[in-house]
Amino acid sequence: LRTLILRFVIVGLSEDGLSAKQGLLLWCQRKTEPYKNVKIENFTTSWQDGLGLCALIHRHRPDLINYDELTKNNALANLNLAFDVAETHLNVPKILDAVDIVE
């Protein structure tokens, strides 16, 4: 998950004395804030439905994912879409399996 996020330019991770992990979480929250059904609060359960990853990709490359067609109750498809797009178009290797994240 962090590999995918770190693929994009992240500015200000040490903002306001935050640790890198806290800064990365804040960056994810800011980038996904305008997206419906996405509320990033942590690096575990907040990503299980795949919408957060799809939103991050869409935010930077809206040509790769049609976010408005995604639904919260189709987690495996959302995650697989995000992983496939990241690997194919962003050169981010798939190191996680969607099933492992959903469970």
Side-chain angles (χ1 to χ4, degrees), residues 45-74:
T45 57
S46 294
W47 305 93
Q48 286 181 320
D49 61 16
L51 292 178
L53 284 174
C54 288
L56 280 178
I57 293 170
H58 183 264
R59 181 70 183 250
H60 293 274
R61 290 288 309 271
D63 58 308
L64 298 179
I65 291 180
N66 186 348
Y67 186 84
D68 293 330
E69 290 185 356
L70 304 177
T71 61
K72 196 171 190 71
N73 57 354
N74 206 353

Side-chain angles (χ1 to χ4, degrees), residues 4 7-8 57 61 64 82 84-93:
L4 176 60
R7 166 65 176 84
F8 300 106
I57 293 170
R61 290 288 309 271
L64 298 179
D84 291 345
V85 167
E87 186 170 48
T88 303
H89 298 282
L90 304 174
N91 297 319
V92 177

